[in-house]
């Protein structure tokens, strides 16, 4: 109800009798009382359904079967005979509600039928007619005065379906939702430039006005601006679609809710949807990069375009980044190699960008303009070539660095800090009771033996070494002039040392016989052990001292929680039973700084750590994972290891680690054009400077996330460039540089950014990033 005064002057003006005192009825304002203005409706006194939404959901007193919140038949549901029934203040049939005209219904018993007068409106106060101004927006129906009864015989009743269409055309379809502020309801609106023709009747004293009900299922609605008398568009059964995006979203929600995911079909007999046919994250196809750019498998953007300014990036609200995979499995012999003369690799002298297909040659080929920083550079004398009529070098077909986005360069001595290292593998084996009894030690030894041929085939320079540990450390001398390996035991765990350090890491091809003998005896030597202790921390320290002069890959196999020496850990899982939930997030972080300090030392000496753990039920991987994180390695966990359950998976993953192509003592850097900068990274590496990633060992299964942000200088061109360069040592001892270059459009429209989103890259980029962000914080 609304506090609105109504006088006899208002009654004379609007042609309605004064209100009868009494309590307000449900469903709207009392009879004869005008509702306050609806924002955007365009007509003073229009009924506002939003203000009485709670009221008209309750049943009307005295009306059987009234519609209340979806219970019972709707107010405009058709009668069993097919004709629609109108709710009136006196019940079903009779006169329509106040302010609503209706077609004559045979047998209603409501007196002679009324006739609509097009363009009729409320009379002015002086009684003189005032011309109606064309309405700029559709207006909601208003209460109008009742005119004198028409003369002549009553018209014949139309058929039921035609009667429904006339009812829709005469007073419009009921609104489906409350009107938004500043917007008129477009459903059931009159034609532009006119007013809704309507015939009203005087309200019955004491009765309130019924709110408009939901539409009749199956009946069409008049589109806004349609002429009177035009047939209403037919709609299917169900809810009508509202105009604009709201109706589309409602239709999508209804369609999705009605899907039957059961493969056998639903109860109604409709065929079900097979979830196997839905798109999966692994089935997505990457967006192709621009012409002459590298393949998306090497560099894949989360969004195929870059924002022109920071405000557009803020509105985009999703991370802008690139997934960089410098090496891909099987491409070590596919990528072309570029050869330069005695002058060396051609680069920009300011930003150090490598020459690529997007540089522009000027001055007859004597200069080239850098595509990243736009600096003109002199072309070396032995790299000079003339240009054709289009400004393109005549030898472009012979230069892979100018016609391909991915290329490799043979690095010169200036890219070497020390002589190229040989491939080196050092195995640290757990020989405690848990490892022997579960079969983990035996499976590890068998897999290493099966991979020796592949390791020897990689390079004749491959080196290998072994160390076993339980409560003590066991070193093995594998010199080629020995027939059997010699074992040396070190019980000092607080300050471990390496006996005979020159004999622990030997050449695989020269000492193959001694290595095979060691693999034959290691399982039998510890078959009856009952030692349950683990000195993993001192074992890693000893292995670091044994291979620090060379570097390489350190593979650690662990079966139980470290309990002795440096890096010993305790079971922290008992804090889960505590009622103090504020310390739960501490379980996801390292408890000791020993492993992080050890990983930094290993990264400095080009040592990569791979950890294989079977510890159960508690292994504290959060503390040991930093060994792999900062050295570019990987961690694999097999809880409750058994040969039947985990043997095949463990063997396949370990053999892949040993036999795949590996890049040694590598560093990686990503450059971008002016206006953008690299601000953060995701992955396993150690950051030496602002944008230099230290990777002691990397391979085709490693990828890194690169976050892109705006620089202080706004981009001045509509094309930006990204270049990734990986400097590494191959197994043959060659120092190589693999370069990937791609061009990216720069846009100013946010719609283009959303259309260019790569769903697979975005998911792969955000998942590890937010997972890492959630580890140190409370959930």
């Amino acid at each position: 109800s609304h506090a609105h005064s109504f006088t006899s002057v208002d009654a004379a003006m609007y042609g309605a009798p004064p209100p009868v005192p009494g309590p307000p009825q449900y469903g709207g304002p009392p009879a004869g009382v005008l509702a306050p203005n609806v924002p955007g409706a365009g007509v003073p006194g229009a009924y506002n359904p939003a203000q009485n939404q709670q009221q008209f959901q309750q049943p009307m007193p005295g009306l059987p079967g009234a519609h209340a919140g979806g219970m019972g038949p709707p107010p405009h549901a058709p009668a069993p005979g097919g004709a629609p029934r109108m709710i009136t203040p006196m019940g079903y049939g009779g006169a329509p509600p106040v302010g609503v005209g209706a077609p004559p219904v045979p047998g209603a018993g409501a007196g002679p039928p009324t006739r609509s007068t097009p363009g009729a409106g409320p009379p002015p106060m002086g009684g003189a007619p005032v011309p109606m101004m064309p309405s700029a927006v559709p207006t909601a129906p208003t209460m109008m005065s009742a005119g004198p009864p028409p003369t002549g015989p009553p018209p014949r009743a139309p058929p039921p379906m035609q009667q429904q269409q006339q009812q829709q055309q005469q007073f419009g379809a009921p609104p489906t939702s409350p009107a938004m502020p500043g917007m008129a309801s477009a459903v059931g609106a009159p034609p532009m430039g006119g007013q809704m023709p309507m015939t009203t009747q005087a309200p019955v004293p004491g009765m309130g006005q019924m709110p408009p009900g939901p539409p009749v299922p199956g009946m069409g609605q008049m589109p806004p601006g349609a002429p009177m008398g035009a047939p209403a568009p037919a709609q299917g059964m169900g809810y009508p679609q509202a105009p604009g995006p709201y109706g589309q979203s409602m239709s999508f929600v209804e369609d999705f809710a009605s899907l039957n995911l059961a493969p056998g079909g639903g109860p109604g007999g409709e065929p079900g949807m097979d979830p196997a046919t839905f798109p999966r994250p692994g089935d997505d196809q990457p967006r192709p990069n621009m012409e002459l750019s590298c393949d998306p498998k090497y560099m894949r953007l989360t969004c195929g375009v870059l924002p022109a300014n920071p405000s557009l990036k803020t509105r985009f609200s999703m991370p802008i980044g690139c997934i960089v995979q410098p090496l891909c499995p099987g491409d070590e012999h596919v990528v072309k190699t570029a050869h330069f003369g005695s002058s060396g690799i051609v680069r920009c002298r300011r930003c150090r960008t490598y020459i690529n297909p997007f540089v522009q040659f000027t001055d007859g080929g004597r200069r080239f303009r850098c595509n990243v920083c736009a600096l003109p550079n002199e072309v070396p004398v032995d790299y000079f070539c003339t240009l054709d009529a289009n400004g393109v070098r005549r030898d472009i077909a012979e230069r892979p660095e100018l016609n391909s986005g991915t290329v490799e360069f043979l690095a010169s001595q200036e890219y070497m800090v020390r002589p190229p290292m040989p491939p080196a593998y050092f195995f640290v084996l757990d020989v405690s009771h848990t490892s022997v009894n579960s079969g983990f030690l035996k499976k590890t030894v068998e897999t290493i033996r099966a991979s020796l041929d592949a390791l020897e085939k990689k390079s004749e320079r491959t080196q290998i070494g072994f160390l076993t540990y339980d409560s003590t450390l066991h070193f093995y001398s594998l010199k080629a002039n020995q027939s059997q390996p010699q074992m040396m035991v070190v019980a000092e765990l607080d300050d471990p040392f390496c006996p005979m350090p020159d004999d622990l890491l030997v050449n695989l091809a020269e000492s193959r016989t001694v290595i095979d003998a060691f693999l034959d005896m290691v399982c039998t030597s510890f078959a009856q052990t009952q030692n349950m202790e683990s000195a993993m921390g001192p074992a890693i320290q000893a292995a670091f001292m044994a291979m620090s002069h060379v570097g390489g890959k350190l593979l650690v196999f662990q079966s139980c929680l470290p309990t002795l020496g440096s890096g010993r850990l305790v079971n922290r899982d008992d804090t889960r039973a505590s009622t103090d939930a504020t310390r739960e997030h501490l379980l996801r972080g390292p408890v000791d700084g020993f492993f992080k300090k050890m990983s930094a030392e290993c990264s400095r000496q080009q040592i990569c750590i791979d950890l294989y753990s079977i510890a159960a039920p508690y292994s504290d991987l959060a503390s040991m994972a930093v060994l792999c994180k900062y050295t570019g390695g990987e961690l694999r966990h097999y809880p409750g290891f058994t040969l039947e359950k985990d043997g095949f998976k463990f063997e396949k993953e370990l053999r892949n680690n040993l036999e795949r192509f590996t890049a040694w003592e590598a560093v990686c850097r990503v450059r971008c054009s002016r206006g953008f900068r690299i601000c953060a990274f995701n992955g396993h590496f150690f950051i030496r400077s602002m944008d230099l990633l230290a990777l002691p060992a990397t391979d085709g299964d490693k990828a890194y996330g690169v976050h892109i942000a705006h620089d202080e200088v706004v981009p001045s061109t509509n094309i930006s460039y990204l270049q990734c360069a990986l400097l590494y040592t191959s197994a043959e001892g060659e120092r190589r540089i693999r370069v990937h270059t791609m061009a990216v459009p720069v846009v100013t429209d946010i719609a283009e950014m959303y259309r260019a989103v790569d769903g697979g890259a975005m998911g792969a980029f955000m998942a590890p990033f937010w997972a890492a962000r959630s580890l140190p914080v409370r959930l």
Side-chain angles (χ1 to χ4, degrees):
S1 62
H2 308 279
H4 183 80
S5 61
F6 194 95
T7 63
S8 58
V9 177
D10 297 327
M13 175 180 177
Y14 291 98
V20 179
Q25 302 297 325
Y26 292 94
V33 178
L34 294 178
N37 296 341
V38 181
V43 178
Y47 173 65
N48 185 0
Q51 298 179 356
N52 298 276
Q53 184 178 5
Q54 301 295 331
Q55 296 182 1
F56 69 74
Q57 290 181 356
Q58 304 181 12
M60 291 263 315
L63 293 181
H67 183 69
M71 303 297 295
H76 292 274
R85 295 180 296 179
M86 297 298 298
I87 297 180
T88 66
M90 302 305 295
Y92 288 93
V98 178
V100 178
V105 180
T114 59
R115 183 171 56 190
S116 302
T117 304
M125 294 188 61
V130 178
M132 298 295 296
M133 297 298 296
S135 177
V137 294
T139 57
T142 57
M143 292 187 299
M144 304 170 62
S145 61
T151 59
R156 298 178 59 183
M161 183 57 66
Q162 185 178 356
Q163 183 179 359
Q164 294 177 4
Q165 295 181 359
Q166 290 182 4
Q167 185 176 355
Q168 291 284 337
Q169 297 169 9
Q170 188 169 0
F171 52 86
T176 57
S177 60
M180 298 295 293
M183 181 184 298
S185 175
V187 179
M192 298 297 294
Q195 182 128 355
M196 177 69 69
M198 185 176 300
T199 303
T200 59
Q201 294 183 356
V204 180
M207 298 300 293
Q209 180 181 355
M210 281 295 296
V216 180
M219 291 181 62
Q221 296 183 1
M222 288 296 298
M228 299 303 295
Q235 291 184 354
M237 299 295 291
Y239 297 99
Q241 294 188 5
Y246 176 75
Q248 297 176 3
S249 61
M250 288 297 296
S251 175
F252 172 77
V253 172
E254 293 170 5
D255 294 343
F256 183 80
S258 62
L259 285 179
N260 179 28
L261 299 182
E270 67 274 7
M273 298 294 295
D274 187 6
T277 61
F278 291 169
R280 301 296 178 184
D283 299 335
D284 64 322
Q285 295 294 328
R287 294 176 55 89
N289 294 334
M290 296 183 63
E291 186 179 1
L292 298 179
S293 296
C294 64
D295 194 278
K297 66 181 181 180
Y298 298 113
M299 298 182 70
R300 188 170 173 181
L301 288 168
T302 59
C303 181
V305 297
L306 296 178
N309 49 70
S311 61
L312 186 62
K313 181 180 181 297
T314 303
R315 291 173 55 200
F316 184 63
S317 300
M318 285 189 286
I320 302 295
C322 182
I323 297 178
V324 178
Q325 190 172 359
L327 305 173
C328 286
D331 68 345
E332 54 270 14
H333 303 295
V334 178
V335 179
K336 299 178 181 179
T337 303
H339 300 276
F340 296 90
S342 58
S343 59
I345 301 175
V346 180
R347 304 176 65 179
C348 176
R349 67 175 186 270
R350 180 167 65 183
C351 66
R352 307 301 294 166
T353 298
Y354 294 91
I355 192 167
N356 57 81
F358 302 102
V359 300
Q360 296 180 357
F361 288 91
T362 60
D363 195 12
R366 298 179 180 84
R367 296 169 181 251
F368 73 91
R369 183 179 299 275
C370 177
N371 59 307
V372 173
C373 67
L375 179 71
N377 294 266
E378 296 289 339
V379 175
V381 176
D382 54 354
Y383 192 72
F384 171 77
C385 181
T386 58
L387 307 181
D388 59 9
N390 298 322
V392 180
R393 285 176 59 114
R394 299 184 185 276
D395 63 345
I396 187 173
E398 305 171 3
R399 294 288 185 178
E401 70 274 12
L402 300 179
N403 57 37
S404 176
T406 298
V407 69
E408 278 197 350
F409 304 141
L410 288 176
S412 56
Q413 292 291 334
E414 60 178 325
Y415 295 93
M416 301 180 188
V417 179
R418 61 176 185 175
M421 60 168 285
Y425 298 87
F426 200 92
F427 299 91
V428 179
L429 306 177
D430 187 347
V431 293
S432 63
H433 175 73
T434 305
S435 178
V436 175
N437 192 40
S438 63
F440 182 58
L441 176 63
K442 181 180 179 181
K443 195 65 176 179
T444 303
V445 171
E446 292 176 354
T447 306
I448 295 174
R449 187 199 305 273
S451 301
L452 289 180
D453 292 337
L455 293 178
E456 187 176 354
K457 186 179 179 181
K458 278 186 176 182
S459 174
E460 298 178 354
R461 305 164 61 242
T462 303
Q463 297 185 4
I464 194 171
F466 293 92
L467 182 149
T468 60
Y469 69 97
D470 44 20
S471 59
T472 56
L473 307 181
H474 318 127
F475 297 88
Y476 299 89
S477 175
L478 303 174
K479 295 179 64 174
N481 56 2
Q482 300 175 177
S483 59
Q484 292 292 329
Q486 296 181 0
M487 183 175 71
M488 296 157 284
V489 180
V490 174
E492 179 61 37
L493 302 180
D494 294 334
D495 189 15
F497 62 94
C498 283
M500 303 175 63
D502 297 336
D503 300 338
L504 300 179
L505 199 63
V506 296
N507 185 275
L508 174 60
E510 297 175 358
S511 304
R512 179 65 183 269
T513 305
V514 184
I515 293 173
D516 289 337
F518 165 77
L519 296 177
D520 292 336
M521 55 86 62
V522 64
C523 291
T524 58
S525 300
F526 301 95
Q528 304 300 324
T529 183
Q530 299 297 324
N531 196 330
M532 302 290 294
E533 303 294 338
S534 173
M536 190 188 77
I540 294 177
Q541 288 178 314
F544 169 77
M545 290 184 286
M547 59 186 310
S548 60
H549 65 287
V550 177
K553 188 179 284 285
L554 175 61
L555 296 96
V556 182
F557 301 87
Q558 177 223 10
S559 64
C560 57
L561 200 68
T563 57
L564 299 175
S566 302
R568 58 180 176 270
L569 301 173
V570 296
N571 191 346
R572 297 187 291 162
D573 201 38
D574 55 355
T575 57
R576 292 173 179 260
S578 175
T579 58
D580 186 12
T582 59
R583 299 179 57 85
E584 182 179 0
H585 66 283
L586 300 178
L587 295 175
R588 301 188 294 270
V591 67
D592 190 4
F594 165 78
F595 294 104
K596 186 174 183 179
K597 180 181 178 181
M598 197 70 219
S599 62
E601 293 293 332
C602 290
S603 178
R604 186 176 294 107
Q605 300 299 329
Q606 303 296 336
I607 298 175
C608 171
I609 300 179
D610 293 339
L611 178 61
Y612 295 83
S613 174
I614 66 168
Y618 182 75
S619 56
D620 201 357
L621 297 179
S623 296
M624 295 182 292
V626 296
L627 288 172
C628 309
K629 177 177 176 59
Y630 296 107
T631 60
E634 59 186 34
L635 185 149
R636 299 190 180 274
H637 187 215
Y638 311 88
F641 180 89
T642 60
L643 292 177
E644 295 78 9
K645 176 173 65 72
D646 306 303
F648 177 77
K649 181 176 184 292
F650 169 69
E651 178 184 2
K652 185 176 181 180
E653 292 176 347
L654 180 56
R655 291 196 65 172
N656 178 62
N657 188 3
L658 298 176
E659 299 176 6
R660 65 192 173 190
F661 176 80
T662 303
W664 304 95
E665 52 182 351
V667 289
C668 181
R669 173 171 279 143
V670 180
R671 298 176 175 89
C672 54
S673 298
R674 295 182 59 187
F676 298 94
R677 61 184 177 89
I678 306 301
C679 60
F681 300 91
N682 297 337
H684 286 190
F685 47 79
F686 190 86
I687 301 181
R688 289 186 182 176
S689 60
M690 293 294 295
D691 57 348
L692 186 65
L693 306 182
L695 307 171
T698 186
D699 50 76
D701 297 330
K702 303 291 192 304
Y704 313 96
V706 179
H707 295 251
I708 302 175
H710 281 85
D711 205 353
E712 298 178 355
V713 180
V714 179
S716 57
T717 60
N718 57 357
I719 297 292
S720 182
Y721 301 93
L722 295 175
Q723 187 179 85
C724 170
L726 178 73
L727 174 64
Y728 70 96
T729 300
S730 64
E732 294 80 8
E734 294 180 337
R735 198 68 173 156
R736 288 176 167 266
I737 306 173
R738 178 167 293 193
V739 178
H740 307 286
T741 310
M742 66 181 302
V744 188
V746 179
V747 299
T748 58
D749 186 10
I750 193 172
E752 297 185 22
M753 297 189 62
Y754 283 117
R755 283 193 293 266
V757 169
D758 190 330
M762 185 69 73
F765 186 85
M766 296 178 63
F769 173 71
W770 290 111
R773 291 283 297 270
S774 65
L775 293 179
V777 298
R778 295 173 57 185
L779 298 179

